[in-house]
Each structure stands twice: as C-alpha cells, then as structure tokens.
Amino acid sequence: MSTSSTTLKIDDRLKARVKKLADSRDRSPHYLMIAAITQYIEHEEARESFKQEAIDSWREYQETGLHLTGDEVKTWLRGWGTEAETDIPACHK
C-alpha cells in the first residue's frame, strides 16, 4: 500500500497529550494518531452503512408494504438458541 504525507494542525495542549500517551504506551505519536484516525473512519463508515441500510429498508417497505411486527420479531428472537428456534418468519403486508 502506498503512503503519502499530510499535515495535521493540532494545538500544543493536544500535541502534549498525544506525546504523553504515546510515551506511556511505548508508541510514537504518529502511531497513535494513525490508530485514532483509522478507528474513527471505520466507526463512521459502519454508521453510514447502517444508515444506508435503514434508508434502503424503508424504501423497500414503502414500495412493497412487506414487514414483520415488533412482536413477531421478538417471538422469533426469543427462540434463538432453544429447541423452538426457527428460520426468520416471512414478511407480510
């Protein structure tokens, strides 16, 4: 994977905090900042994916009217890991 440099401007107080934590973890400030940015991006990508899935589900419901009620889902989930476990119920109008 290729890498490139970028500039990140942070105030002196935050820079000192990063340096202190990096020292205590026997890591470089660069390592901590890359880890923090990576974690944030992964979190936000997952959040965006979840949001898009919800939008797609809502659009499909509006088009088809197919759904499960909350009680149907609860009943199905309660069966997980028991002898009463079943496949997901079929959606209906």
Side-chain angles (χ1 to χ4, degrees), residues 8-74:
L8 179 65
K9 294 182 180 185
I10 58 175
D11 63 51
D12 291 338
R13 199 175 309 161
L14 181 57
K15 185 176 180 179
R17 289 172 61 198
V18 170
K19 173 85 170 96
K20 182 178 178 181
L21 183 59
D23 289 346
S24 74
R25 302 282 168 85
D26 198 26
R27 295 289 187 173
S28 69
H30 175 265
Y31 175 89
L32 288 186
M33 289 186 283
I34 293 296
I37 292 168
T38 299
Q39 182 179 11
Y40 177 80
I41 295 300
E42 287 172 354
H43 177 268
E44 290 301 311
E45 286 172 339
R47 185 176 178 166
E48 186 61 30
S49 177
F50 178 78
K51 178 180 143 189
Q52 191 58 53
E53 187 177 330
I55 290 169
D56 293 344
S57 293
W58 175 245
R59 188 174 295 123
E60 183 177 345
Y61 168 73
Q62 288 180 309
E63 291 171 4
T64 67
L66 296 175
H67 69 283
L68 292 173
T69 66
D71 288 337
E72 289 168 332
V73 173
K74 285 180 199 175

